Amino acid sequence: MTANETVATAMPPQSAGVPVGDVVYFDARYIQKSEVTVSPDDRGFLLGDGVYEVAAAYDGRFVALDRHLGRLKKSLAEARIDVSVADPLESVFQELLERNGFAERGKAMVYLQVTRGVSPRTHAFPKVPVRPTVYAFAAPFPDMGDLASGISAITRPDLRWSRCDIKVISLIANVLANQEAKENGSFEAILVRDGVALEGTHTSFFAVKDDVVMTAPLSNLILPGITREIVLELCHRTGLSVNEQAVPAHTLPQADELFITGTTIEVAPVVVLDGRPVGDGAPGPVTTRIAELYRAAIVAGRQ
Ligand code: PDD
C-alpha cells in the first residue's frame, strides 16, 4: 500500500463534489454552466464580499422556502447589498429545479449567492453603484453516507467573525475547522467560543441532558438555522423540553445525546465527540424521535 492509499483510508468518506445541474442562473439569465464567466474583478472572488442561501427540495417541493428567502433578504440587508429587480430570487429557486429535471424526483438542493458585483478592488463599496452578481445552481443532494447511524465530531475554537448570523460567503474559518475534522476522521467540527459550544462549521448543534434539548440561543454568534428553528418548533409541539441556553463545552462529555441539524444534513446524531463515545455511543432516543418528527414534517410539507 502506498503512503497515499494509507491517508485515503484514514479519511472519512468525502462527497467527491456535488454534480451540478447543467442549467444555472447567472447574470439574470438561465444558461449552461459552461457558459458562465465570472469577472476577476467580482467582489465575491476578490473579497468574499457576498451572501448565500441553500434550500432543499423533496420531489420538487421546497422545505421552508419562505424562511430561506426571509433569511436571504436579511443577509442582503445586513450586508447592504441591493438585489436588482431583474433577479426574482424566489422564482429562481423553483425555476432551477424545473429546468434541471429535479421537480418530480428525489432530493435536490438549490444554492444561490449574491456578491456586491464587479468593480476595481477597493475595500469600500464601489463608488459607482454596480449590479450585484447573482449565481445559483441546482444539484442532487450530496451523498454523505449514512448519517442516521451517527457521526463523529471534534470541538475546535471558533475563529469566525462576530456576525455569524449573516450567511456570508467568506467561510475560511469554517473551511479550516471542517478540514481539521475531516483530517481527524470526523464529519463536523463543533465551534467553541468563550467556553460555549455554539454550532458546527455548517450545522446547528444540540445537546440532550435529562430529556431536555439544549442549543445556543439566537445571537450574532450563530446562524439562525432554518432546520434548527423547525426542530425547536417540533419539540414545542410534541412536548419535548427545550432550553435555548449556552451549552458549556466542559459539560459535553456528560451529555446524554448530541446532534447536529442542517438543510442537507437534516438531523444527524453525534455519537463520538473528540474521540469519546457520546452516551452509550449509539443514536439516542430523543435524537431519533426528533429525526423522525423532522422527516414526517418534510414529507407532509408542514414547515
Ligand atoms: N449551512 N450553521 C452554519 C454555520 C451553517 O452554515 C448552516 C447551513 C447551518 C444550518 O442552517 P440550515 O438549517 O438553515 O441549513 C448552521 C449550509 C447548508 C451550507 O453552508 O451549505
Side-chain angles (χ1 to χ4, degrees), residues 13 42 45 47 53 67 84 97 110 119 139-140 143 152 168 175-176 185 196 214 221-222 235 238 255 289 294:
D42 193 284
F45 177 61
L47 301 160
E53 193 54 55
R67 302 191 204 211
S84 154
L97 278 195
V110 172
S119 181
D143 178 12
S152 67
V168 291
V175 167
L176 291 174
V196 170
M214 289 175 293
L221 299 180
I222 64 166
C235 288
T238 51
R289 170 105 179 95
Y294 184 75

mmCIF file with all atom_site columns, all heavy atoms in Angstrom, residues 13 42 45 47 53 67 84 97 110 119 139-140 143 152 168 175-176 185 196 214 221-222 235 238 255 289 294:
data_model
loop_
_atom_site.group_PDB
_atom_site.id
_atom_site.type_symbol
_atom_site.label_atom_id
_atom_site.label_alt_id
_atom_site.label_comp_id
_atom_site.label_asym_id
_atom_site.label_entity_id
_atom_site.label_seq_id
_atom_site.pdbx_PDB_ins_code
_atom_site.Cartn_x
_atom_site.Cartn_y
_atom_site.Cartn_z
_atom_site.occupancy
_atom_site.B_iso_or_equiv
_atom_site.pdbx_formal_charge
_atom_site.auth_seq_id
_atom_site.auth_comp_id
_atom_site.auth_asym_id
_atom_site.auth_atom_id
_atom_site.pdbx_PDB_model_num
ATOM 1   N N   . PRO A 1 13  ? -15.344 8.972  4.431   1.00 0.00 ? 13  PRO A N   1
ATOM 2   C CA  . PRO A 1 13  ? -15.786 9.143  3.057   1.00 0.00 ? 13  PRO A CA  1
ATOM 3   C C   . PRO A 1 13  ? -16.151 10.604 2.807   1.00 0.00 ? 13  PRO A C   1
ATOM 4   O O   . PRO A 1 13  ? -16.865 11.204 3.609   1.00 0.00 ? 13  PRO A O   1
ATOM 5   C CB  . PRO A 1 13  ? -17.025 8.253  2.965   1.00 0.00 ? 13  PRO A CB  1
ATOM 6   C CG  . PRO A 1 13  ? -17.405 7.922  4.361   1.00 0.00 ? 13  PRO A CG  1
ATOM 7   C CD  . PRO A 1 13  ? -16.191 8.100  5.211   1.00 0.00 ? 13  PRO A CD  1
ATOM 8   N N   . ASP A 1 42  ? -14.843 40.538 -9.758  1.00 0.00 ? 42  ASP A N   1
ATOM 9   C CA  . ASP A 1 42  ? -16.044 40.332 -8.949  1.00 0.00 ? 42  ASP A CA  1
ATOM 10  C C   . ASP A 1 42  ? -15.661 40.381 -7.474  1.00 0.00 ? 42  ASP A C   1
ATOM 11  O O   . ASP A 1 42  ? -14.700 39.726 -7.025  1.00 0.00 ? 42  ASP A O   1
ATOM 12  C CB  . ASP A 1 42  ? -16.700 38.987 -9.261  1.00 0.00 ? 42  ASP A CB  1
ATOM 13  C CG  . ASP A 1 42  ? -18.092 38.908 -8.666  1.00 0.00 ? 42  ASP A CG  1
ATOM 14  O OD1 . ASP A 1 42  ? -18.205 38.709 -7.429  1.00 0.00 ? 42  ASP A OD1 1
ATOM 15  O OD2 . ASP A 1 42  ? -19.062 39.094 -9.417  1.00 0.00 ? 42  ASP A OD2 1
ATOM 16  N N   . PHE A 1 45  ? -15.193 37.150 -5.647  1.00 0.00 ? 45  PHE A N   1
ATOM 17  C CA  . PHE A 1 45  ? -13.922 36.480 -5.932  1.00 0.00 ? 45  PHE A CA  1
ATOM 18  C C   . PHE A 1 45  ? -12.766 37.167 -5.200  1.00 0.00 ? 45  PHE A C   1
ATOM 19  O O   . PHE A 1 45  ? -11.930 36.515 -4.573  1.00 0.00 ? 45  PHE A O   1
ATOM 20  C CB  . PHE A 1 45  ? -13.705 36.493 -7.452  1.00 0.00 ? 45  PHE A CB  1
ATOM 21  C CG  . PHE A 1 45  ? -12.398 35.913 -7.906  1.00 0.00 ? 45  PHE A CG  1
ATOM 22  C CD1 . PHE A 1 45  ? -12.065 34.587 -7.653  1.00 0.00 ? 45  PHE A CD1 1
ATOM 23  C CD2 . PHE A 1 45  ? -11.485 36.702 -8.590  1.00 0.00 ? 45  PHE A CD2 1
ATOM 24  C CE1 . PHE A 1 45  ? -10.859 34.056 -8.074  1.00 0.00 ? 45  PHE A CE1 1
ATOM 25  C CE2 . PHE A 1 45  ? -10.269 36.176 -9.016  1.00 0.00 ? 45  PHE A CE2 1
ATOM 26  C CZ  . PHE A 1 45  ? -9.958  34.860 -8.749  1.00 0.00 ? 45  PHE A CZ  1
ATOM 27  N N   . LEU A 1 47  ? -12.866 39.575 -2.642  1.00 0.00 ? 47  LEU A N   1
ATOM 28  C CA  . LEU A 1 47  ? -13.001 39.974 -1.236  1.00 0.00 ? 47  LEU A CA  1
ATOM 29  C C   . LEU A 1 47  ? -13.911 39.052 -0.416  1.00 0.00 ? 47  LEU A C   1
ATOM 30  O O   . LEU A 1 47  ? -14.076 39.275 0.795   1.00 0.00 ? 47  LEU A O   1
ATOM 31  C CB  . LEU A 1 47  ? -13.571 41.403 -1.159  1.00 0.00 ? 47  LEU A CB  1
ATOM 32  C CG  . LEU A 1 47  ? -12.735 42.488 -1.857  1.00 0.00 ? 47  LEU A CG  1
ATOM 33  C CD1 . LEU A 1 47  ? -13.577 43.711 -2.157  1.00 0.00 ? 47  LEU A CD1 1
ATOM 34  C CD2 . LEU A 1 47  ? -11.550 42.874 -0.984  1.00 0.00 ? 47  LEU A CD2 1
ATOM 35  N N   . GLU A 1 53  ? -27.440 31.425 0.198   1.00 0.00 ? 53  GLU A N   1
ATOM 36  C CA  . GLU A 1 53  ? -28.525 30.674 0.837   1.00 0.00 ? 53  GLU A CA  1
ATOM 37  C C   . GLU A 1 53  ? -28.581 29.294 0.193   1.00 0.00 ? 53  GLU A C   1
ATOM 38  O O   . GLU A 1 53  ? -28.195 29.129 -0.979  1.00 0.00 ? 53  GLU A O   1
ATOM 39  C CB  . GLU A 1 53  ? -29.858 31.415 0.636   1.00 0.00 ? 53  GLU A CB  1
ATOM 40  C CG  . GLU A 1 53  ? -31.007 30.930 1.483   1.00 0.00 ? 53  GLU A CG  1
ATOM 41  C CD  . GLU A 1 53  ? -30.689 30.896 2.976   1.00 0.00 ? 53  GLU A CD  1
ATOM 42  O OE1 . GLU A 1 53  ? -30.272 31.916 3.567   1.00 0.00 ? 53  GLU A OE1 1
ATOM 43  O OE2 . GLU A 1 53  ? -30.849 29.810 3.569   1.00 0.00 ? 53  GLU A OE2 1
ATOM 44  N N   . ARG A 1 67  ? -38.897 30.730 4.619   1.00 0.00 ? 67  ARG A N   1
ATOM 45  C CA  . ARG A 1 67  ? -37.932 31.054 5.689   1.00 0.00 ? 67  ARG A CA  1
ATOM 46  C C   . ARG A 1 67  ? -36.541 31.265 5.095   1.00 0.00 ? 67  ARG A C   1
ATOM 47  O O   . ARG A 1 67  ? -35.797 32.137 5.543   1.00 0.00 ? 67  ARG A O   1
ATOM 48  C CB  . ARG A 1 67  ? -37.883 29.923 6.719   1.00 0.00 ? 67  ARG A CB  1
ATOM 49  C CG  . ARG A 1 67  ? -39.236 29.620 7.352   1.00 0.00 ? 67  ARG A CG  1
ATOM 50  C CD  . ARG A 1 67  ? -39.035 28.698 8.530   1.00 0.00 ? 67  ARG A CD  1
ATOM 51  N NE  . ARG A 1 67  ? -40.223 27.918 8.838   1.00 0.00 ? 67  ARG A NE  1
ATOM 52  C CZ  . ARG A 1 67  ? -40.539 27.512 10.053  1.00 0.00 ? 67  ARG A CZ  1
ATOM 53  N NH1 . ARG A 1 67  ? -39.780 27.819 11.076  1.00 0.00 ? 67  ARG A NH1 1
ATOM 54  N NH2 . ARG A 1 67  ? -41.616 26.785 10.267  1.00 0.00 ? 67  ARG A NH2 1
ATOM 55  N N   . SER A 1 84  ? -31.033 43.509 -7.682  1.00 0.00 ? 84  SER A N   1
ATOM 56  C CA  . SER A 1 84  ? -31.801 44.145 -8.747  1.00 0.00 ? 84  SER A CA  1
ATOM 57  C C   . SER A 1 84  ? -33.179 43.502 -8.880  1.00 0.00 ? 84  SER A C   1
ATOM 58  O O   . SER A 1 84  ? -33.347 42.304 -8.627  1.00 0.00 ? 84  SER A O   1
ATOM 59  C CB  . SER A 1 84  ? -31.011 43.983 -10.041 1.00 0.00 ? 84  SER A CB  1
ATOM 60  O OG  . SER A 1 84  ? -31.863 44.022 -11.129 1.00 0.00 ? 84  SER A OG  1
ATOM 61  N N   . LEU A 1 97  ? -35.010 24.110 -10.232 1.00 0.00 ? 97  LEU A N   1
ATOM 62  C CA  . LEU A 1 97  ? -35.429 22.714 -10.047 1.00 0.00 ? 97  LEU A CA  1
ATOM 63  C C   . LEU A 1 97  ? -36.022 22.189 -11.332 1.00 0.00 ? 97  LEU A C   1
ATOM 64  O O   . LEU A 1 97  ? -35.695 21.105 -11.805 1.00 0.00 ? 97  LEU A O   1
ATOM 65  C CB  . LEU A 1 97  ? -36.523 22.623 -8.968  1.00 0.00 ? 97  LEU A CB  1
ATOM 66  C CG  . LEU A 1 97  ? -36.171 22.595 -7.511  1.00 0.00 ? 97  LEU A CG  1
ATOM 67  C CD1 . LEU A 1 97  ? -37.396 22.143 -6.731  1.00 0.00 ? 97  LEU A CD1 1
ATOM 68  C CD2 . LEU A 1 97  ? -34.998 21.693 -7.219  1.00 0.00 ? 97  LEU A CD2 1
ATOM 69  N N   . VAL A 1 110 ? -30.859 23.810 -3.898  1.00 0.00 ? 110 VAL A N   1
ATOM 70  C CA  . VAL A 1 110 ? -30.508 24.968 -4.720  1.00 0.00 ? 110 VAL A CA  1
ATOM 71  C C   . VAL A 1 110 ? -29.611 25.868 -3.879  1.00 0.00 ? 110 VAL A C   1
ATOM 72  O O   . VAL A 1 110 ? -29.919 26.169 -2.717  1.00 0.00 ? 110 VAL A O   1
ATOM 73  C CB  . VAL A 1 110 ? -31.756 25.733 -5.206  1.00 0.00 ? 110 VAL A CB  1
ATOM 74  C CG1 . VAL A 1 110 ? -31.357 27.039 -5.882  1.00 0.00 ? 110 VAL A CG1 1
ATOM 75  C CG2 . VAL A 1 110 ? -32.558 24.870 -6.178  1.00 0.00 ? 110 VAL A CG2 1
ATOM 76  N N   . SER A 1 119 ? -16.215 45.355 -9.817  1.00 0.00 ? 119 SER A N   1
ATOM 77  C CA  . SER A 1 119 ? -15.687 46.716 -9.699  1.00 0.00 ? 119 SER A CA  1
ATOM 78  C C   . SER A 1 119 ? -14.214 46.620 -9.325  1.00 0.00 ? 119 SER A C   1
ATOM 79  O O   . SER A 1 119 ? -13.831 45.673 -8.617  1.00 0.00 ? 119 SER A O   1
ATOM 80  C CB  . SER A 1 119 ? -16.462 47.447 -8.594  1.00 0.00 ? 119 SER A CB  1
ATOM 81  O OG  . SER A 1 119 ? -16.018 48.754 -8.461  1.00 0.00 ? 119 SER A OG  1
ATOM 82  N N   . ALA A 1 139 ? -28.674 21.027 -7.633  1.00 0.00 ? 139 ALA A N   1
ATOM 83  C CA  . ALA A 1 139 ? -27.887 19.793 -7.646  1.00 0.00 ? 139 ALA A CA  1
ATOM 84  C C   . ALA A 1 139 ? -28.624 18.741 -6.846  1.00 0.00 ? 139 ALA A C   1
ATOM 85  O O   . ALA A 1 139 ? -29.409 19.063 -5.956  1.00 0.00 ? 139 ALA A O   1
ATOM 86  C CB  . ALA A 1 139 ? -26.511 20.038 -7.017  1.00 0.00 ? 139 ALA A CB  1
ATOM 87  N N   . PRO A 1 140 ? -28.357 17.458 -7.166  1.00 0.00 ? 140 PRO A N   1
ATOM 88  C CA  . PRO A 1 140 ? -28.890 16.424 -6.275  1.00 0.00 ? 140 PRO A CA  1
ATOM 89  C C   . PRO A 1 140 ? -28.244 16.568 -4.909  1.00 0.00 ? 140 PRO A C   1
ATOM 90  O O   . PRO A 1 140 ? -27.150 17.125 -4.801  1.00 0.00 ? 140 PRO A O   1
ATOM 91  C CB  . PRO A 1 140 ? -28.482 15.111 -6.947  1.00 0.00 ? 140 PRO A CB  1
ATOM 92  C CG  . PRO A 1 140 ? -27.491 15.464 -7.987  1.00 0.00 ? 140 PRO A CG  1
ATOM 93  C CD  . PRO A 1 140 ? -27.525 16.928 -8.231  1.00 0.00 ? 140 PRO A CD  1
ATOM 94  N N   . ASP A 1 143 ? -24.126 13.022 -1.530  1.00 0.00 ? 143 ASP A N   1
ATOM 95  C CA  . ASP A 1 143 ? -24.181 11.740 -0.823  1.00 0.00 ? 143 ASP A CA  1
ATOM 96  C C   . ASP A 1 143 ? -23.218 11.801 0.353   1.00 0.00 ? 143 ASP A C   1
ATOM 97  O O   . ASP A 1 143 ? -22.008 11.824 0.181   1.00 0.00 ? 143 ASP A O   1
ATOM 98  C CB  . ASP A 1 143 ? -23.804 10.600 -1.773  1.00 0.00 ? 143 ASP A CB  1
ATOM 99  C CG  . ASP A 1 143 ? -23.808 9.262  -1.049  1.00 0.00 ? 143 ASP A CG  1
ATOM 100 O OD1 . ASP A 1 143 ? -24.315 9.210  0.099   1.00 0.00 ? 143 ASP A OD1 1
ATOM 101 O OD2 . ASP A 1 143 ? -23.298 8.284  -1.617  1.00 0.00 ? 143 ASP A OD2 1
ATOM 102 N N   . SER A 1 152 ? -19.141 11.302 13.838  1.00 0.00 ? 152 SER A N   1
ATOM 103 C CA  . SER A 1 152 ? -18.227 11.747 14.891  1.00 0.00 ? 152 SER A CA  1
ATOM 104 C C   . SER A 1 152 ? -17.868 13.209 14.634  1.00 0.00 ? 152 SER A C   1
ATOM 105 O O   . SER A 1 152 ? -17.883 13.677 13.490  1.00 0.00 ? 152 SER A O   1
ATOM 106 C CB  . SER A 1 152 ? -16.988 10.864 14.946  1.00 0.00 ? 152 SER A CB  1
ATOM 107 O OG  . SER A 1 152 ? -16.232 11.036 13.782  1.00 0.00 ? 152 SER A OG  1
ATOM 108 N N   . VAL A 1 168 ? -22.707 34.744 5.149   1.00 0.00 ? 168 VAL A N   1
ATOM 109 C CA  . VAL A 1 168 ? -21.744 35.322 4.204   1.00 0.00 ? 168 VAL A CA  1
ATOM 110 C C   . VAL A 1 168 ? -20.948 34.231 3.487   1.00 0.00 ? 168 VAL A C   1
ATOM 111 O O   . VAL A 1 168 ? -20.733 33.152 4.042   1.00 0.00 ? 168 VAL A O   1
ATOM 112 C CB  . VAL A 1 168 ? -20.756 36.287 4.918   1.00 0.00 ? 168 VAL A CB  1
ATOM 113 C CG1 . VAL A 1 168 ? -21.471 37.536 5.378   1.00 0.00 ? 168 VAL A CG1 1
ATOM 114 C CG2 . VAL A 1 168 ? -20.049 35.606 6.074   1.00 0.00 ? 168 VAL A CG2 1
ATOM 115 N N   . VAL A 1 175 ? -14.118 26.600 6.784   1.00 0.00 ? 175 VAL A N   1
ATOM 116 C CA  . VAL A 1 175 ? -13.409 25.649 5.918   1.00 0.00 ? 175 VAL A CA  1
ATOM 117 C C   . VAL A 1 175 ? -12.245 25.004 6.672   1.00 0.00 ? 175 VAL A C   1
ATOM 118 O O   . VAL A 1 175 ? -12.078 23.780 6.666   1.00 0.00 ? 175 VAL A O   1
ATOM 119 C CB  . VAL A 1 175 ? -12.888 26.382 4.651   1.00 0.00 ? 175 VAL A CB  1
ATOM 120 C CG1 . VAL A 1 175 ? -11.880 25.535 3.886   1.00 0.00 ? 175 VAL A CG1 1
ATOM 121 C CG2 . VAL A 1 175 ? -14.063 26.775 3.750   1.00 0.00 ? 175 VAL A CG2 1
ATOM 122 N N   . LEU A 1 176 ? -11.452 25.815 7.356   1.00 0.00 ? 176 LEU A N   1
ATOM 123 C CA  . LEU A 1 176 ? -10.279 25.287 8.058   1.00 0.00 ? 176 LEU A CA  1
ATOM 124 C C   . LEU A 1 176 ? -10.693 24.337 9.184   1.00 0.00 ? 176 LEU A C   1
ATOM 125 O O   . LEU A 1 176 ? -10.092 23.275 9.363   1.00 0.00 ? 176 LEU A O   1
ATOM 126 C CB  . LEU A 1 176 ? -9.423  26.438 8.603   1.00 0.00 ? 176 LEU A CB  1
ATOM 127 C CG  . LEU A 1 176 ? -8.696  27.277 7.533   1.00 0.00 ? 176 LEU A CG  1
ATOM 128 C CD1 . LEU A 1 176 ? -8.010  28.480 8.172   1.00 0.00 ? 176 LEU A CD1 1
ATOM 129 C CD2 . LEU A 1 176 ? -7.677  26.429 6.778   1.00 0.00 ? 176 LEU A CD2 1
ATOM 130 N N   . GLY A 1 185 ? -10.701 12.291 10.823  1.00 0.00 ? 185 GLY A N   1
ATOM 131 C CA  . GLY A 1 185 ? -11.631 11.173 10.627  1.00 0.00 ? 185 GLY A CA  1
ATOM 132 C C   . GLY A 1 185 ? -13.036 11.498 11.081  1.00 0.00 ? 185 GLY A C   1
ATOM 133 O O   . GLY A 1 185 ? -13.854 10.597 11.259  1.00 0.00 ? 185 GLY A O   1
ATOM 134 N N   . VAL A 1 196 ? -18.149 28.116 25.275  1.00 0.00 ? 196 VAL A N   1
ATOM 135 C CA  . VAL A 1 196 ? -19.509 27.691 24.944  1.00 0.00 ? 196 VAL A CA  1
ATOM 136 C C   . VAL A 1 196 ? -19.525 27.028 23.566  1.00 0.00 ? 196 VAL A C   1
ATOM 137 O O   . VAL A 1 196 ? -18.939 27.556 22.614  1.00 0.00 ? 196 VAL A O   1
ATOM 138 C CB  . VAL A 1 196 ? -20.448 28.926 24.940  1.00 0.00 ? 196 VAL A CB  1
ATOM 139 C CG1 . VAL A 1 196 ? -21.801 28.564 24.368  1.00 0.00 ? 196 VAL A CG1 1
ATOM 140 C CG2 . VAL A 1 196 ? -20.587 29.477 26.344  1.00 0.00 ? 196 VAL A CG2 1
ATOM 141 N N   . MET A 1 214 ? -31.048 21.100 24.460  1.00 0.00 ? 214 MET A N   1
ATOM 142 C CA  . MET A 1 214 ? -30.384 22.396 24.650  1.00 0.00 ? 214 MET A CA  1
ATOM 143 C C   . MET A 1 214 ? -29.665 22.815 23.372  1.00 0.00 ? 214 MET A C   1
ATOM 144 O O   . MET A 1 214 ? -29.064 21.979 22.694  1.00 0.00 ? 214 MET A O   1
ATOM 145 C CB  . MET A 1 214 ? -29.363 22.315 25.773  1.00 0.00 ? 214 MET A CB  1
ATOM 146 C CG  . MET A 1 214 ? -29.990 22.197 27.143  1.00 0.00 ? 214 MET A CG  1
ATOM 147 S SD  . MET A 1 214 ? -28.738 21.955 28.402  1.00 0.00 ? 214 MET A SD  1
ATOM 148 C CE  . MET A 1 214 ? -28.138 20.360 27.990  1.00 0.00 ? 214 MET A CE  1
ATOM 149 N N   . LEU A 1 221 ? -23.684 35.284 17.249  1.00 0.00 ? 221 LEU A N   1
ATOM 150 C CA  . LEU A 1 221 ? -22.629 34.271 17.235  1.00 0.00 ? 221 LEU A CA  1
ATOM 151 C C   . LEU A 1 221 ? -22.995 32.983 16.515  1.00 0.00 ? 221 LEU A C   1
ATOM 152 O O   . LEU A 1 221 ? -22.155 32.102 16.352  1.00 0.00 ? 221 LEU A O   1
ATOM 153 C CB  . LEU A 1 221 ? -22.195 33.949 18.670  1.00 0.00 ? 221 LEU A CB  1
ATOM 154 C CG  . LEU A 1 221 ? -21.619 35.142 19.445  1.00 0.00 ? 221 LEU A CG  1
ATOM 155 C CD1 . LEU A 1 221 ? -21.223 34.730 20.845  1.00 0.00 ? 221 LEU A CD1 1
ATOM 156 C CD2 . LEU A 1 221 ? -20.422 35.743 18.706  1.00 0.00 ? 221 LEU A CD2 1
ATOM 157 N N   . ILE A 1 222 ? -24.268 32.849 16.125  1.00 0.00 ? 222 ILE A N   1
ATOM 158 C CA  . ILE A 1 222 ? -24.648 31.651 15.345  1.00 0.00 ? 222 ILE A CA  1
ATOM 159 C C   . ILE A 1 222 ? -25.542 32.052 14.177  1.00 0.00 ? 222 ILE A C   1
ATOM 160 O O   . ILE A 1 222 ? -26.199 33.099 14.186  1.00 0.00 ? 222 ILE A O   1
ATOM 161 C CB  . ILE A 1 222 ? -25.392 30.583 16.184  1.00 0.00 ? 222 ILE A CB  1
ATOM 162 C CG1 . ILE A 1 222 ? -26.739 31.107 16.713  1.00 0.00 ? 222 ILE A CG1 1
ATOM 163 C CG2 . ILE A 1 222 ? -24.525 30.054 17.298  1.00 0.00 ? 222 ILE A CG2 1
ATOM 164 C CD1 . ILE A 1 222 ? -27.643 29.988 17.245  1.00 0.00 ? 222 ILE A CD1 1
ATOM 165 N N   . CYS A 1 235 ? -40.230 20.256 18.730  1.00 0.00 ? 235 CYS A N   1
ATOM 166 C CA  . CYS A 1 235 ? -40.076 19.913 20.160  1.00 0.00 ? 235 CYS A CA  1
ATOM 167 C C   . CYS A 1 235 ? -41.210 20.535 20.965  1.00 0.00 ? 235 CYS A C   1
ATOM 168 O O   . CYS A 1 235 ? -41.852 19.860 21.783  1.00 0.00 ? 235 CYS A O   1
ATOM 169 C CB  . CYS A 1 235 ? -38.738 20.419 20.692  1.00 0.00 ? 235 CYS A CB  1
ATOM 170 S SG  . CYS A 1 235 ? -37.320 19.507 20.095  1.00 0.00 ? 235 CYS A SG  1
ATOM 171 N N   . THR A 1 238 ? -44.546 18.832 20.388  1.00 0.00 ? 238 THR A N   1
ATOM 172 C CA  . THR A 1 238 ? -44.714 17.455 20.865  1.00 0.00 ? 238 THR A CA  1
ATOM 173 C C   . THR A 1 238 ? -44.351 17.306 22.345  1.00 0.00 ? 238 THR A C   1
ATOM 174 O O   . THR A 1 238 ? -44.237 16.196 22.849  1.00 0.00 ? 238 THR A O   1
ATOM 175 C CB  . THR A 1 238 ? -43.845 16.487 20.032  1.00 0.00 ? 238 THR A CB  1
ATOM 176 O OG1 . THR A 1 238 ? -42.526 17.002 20.010  1.00 0.00 ? 238 THR A OG1 1
ATOM 177 C CG2 . THR A 1 238 ? -44.365 16.339 18.632  1.00 0.00 ? 238 THR A CG2 1
ATOM 178 N N   . ALA A 1 255 ? -23.087 14.860 28.376  1.00 0.00 ? 255 ALA A N   1
ATOM 179 C CA  . ALA A 1 255 ? -24.372 14.916 27.668  1.00 0.00 ? 255 ALA A CA  1
ATOM 180 C C   . ALA A 1 255 ? -24.880 13.500 27.403  1.00 0.00 ? 255 ALA A C   1
ATOM 181 O O   . ALA A 1 255 ? -24.101 12.577 27.164  1.00 0.00 ? 255 ALA A O   1
ATOM 182 C CB  . ALA A 1 255 ? -24.204 15.659 26.350  1.00 0.00 ? 255 ALA A CB  1
ATOM 183 N N   . ARG A 1 289 ? -36.158 10.382 17.866  1.00 0.00 ? 289 ARG A N   1
ATOM 184 C CA  . ARG A 1 289 ? -37.540 10.876 17.808  1.00 0.00 ? 289 ARG A CA  1
ATOM 185 C C   . ARG A 1 289 ? -37.595 12.183 17.005  1.00 0.00 ? 289 ARG A C   1
ATOM 186 O O   . ARG A 1 289 ? -38.467 12.371 16.161  1.00 0.00 ? 289 ARG A O   1
ATOM 187 C CB  . ARG A 1 289 ? -38.033 11.101 19.242  1.00 0.00 ? 289 ARG A CB  1
ATOM 188 C CG  . ARG A 1 289 ? -39.347 11.818 19.389  1.00 0.00 ? 289 ARG A CG  1
ATOM 189 C CD  . ARG A 1 289 ? -40.466 10.859 19.770  1.00 0.00 ? 289 ARG A CD  1
ATOM 190 N NE  . ARG A 1 289 ? -41.756 11.543 19.932  1.00 0.00 ? 289 ARG A NE  1
ATOM 191 C CZ  . ARG A 1 289 ? -42.655 11.627 18.959  1.00 0.00 ? 289 ARG A CZ  1
ATOM 192 N NH1 . ARG A 1 289 ? -42.445 11.093 17.782  1.00 0.00 ? 289 ARG A NH1 1
ATOM 193 N NH2 . ARG A 1 289 ? -43.807 12.238 19.177  1.00 0.00 ? 289 ARG A NH2 1
ATOM 194 N N   . TYR A 1 294 ? -38.932 15.314 12.207  1.00 0.00 ? 294 TYR A N   1
ATOM 195 C CA  . TYR A 1 294 ? -38.498 16.225 11.139  1.00 0.00 ? 294 TYR A CA  1
ATOM 196 C C   . TYR A 1 294 ? -38.822 15.624 9.779   1.00 0.00 ? 294 TYR A C   1
ATOM 197 O O   . TYR A 1 294 ? -39.369 16.278 8.899   1.00 0.00 ? 294 TYR A O   1
ATOM 198 C CB  . TYR A 1 294 ? -37.002 16.512 11.263  1.00 0.00 ? 294 TYR A CB  1
ATOM 199 C CG  . TYR A 1 294 ? -36.522 17.512 10.243  1.00 0.00 ? 294 TYR A CG  1
ATOM 200 C CD1 . TYR A 1 294 ? -36.819 18.865 10.389  1.00 0.00 ? 294 TYR A CD1 1
ATOM 201 C CD2 . TYR A 1 294 ? -35.807 17.105 9.125   1.00 0.00 ? 294 TYR A CD2 1
ATOM 202 C CE1 . TYR A 1 294 ? -36.403 19.787 9.433   1.00 0.00 ? 294 TYR A CE1 1
ATOM 203 C CE2 . TYR A 1 294 ? -35.391 18.023 8.173   1.00 0.00 ? 294 TYR A CE2 1
ATOM 204 C CZ  . TYR A 1 294 ? -35.689 19.354 8.334   1.00 0.00 ? 294 TYR A CZ  1
ATOM 205 O OH  . TYR A 1 294 ? -35.294 20.262 7.380   1.00 0.00 ? 294 TYR A OH  1
#
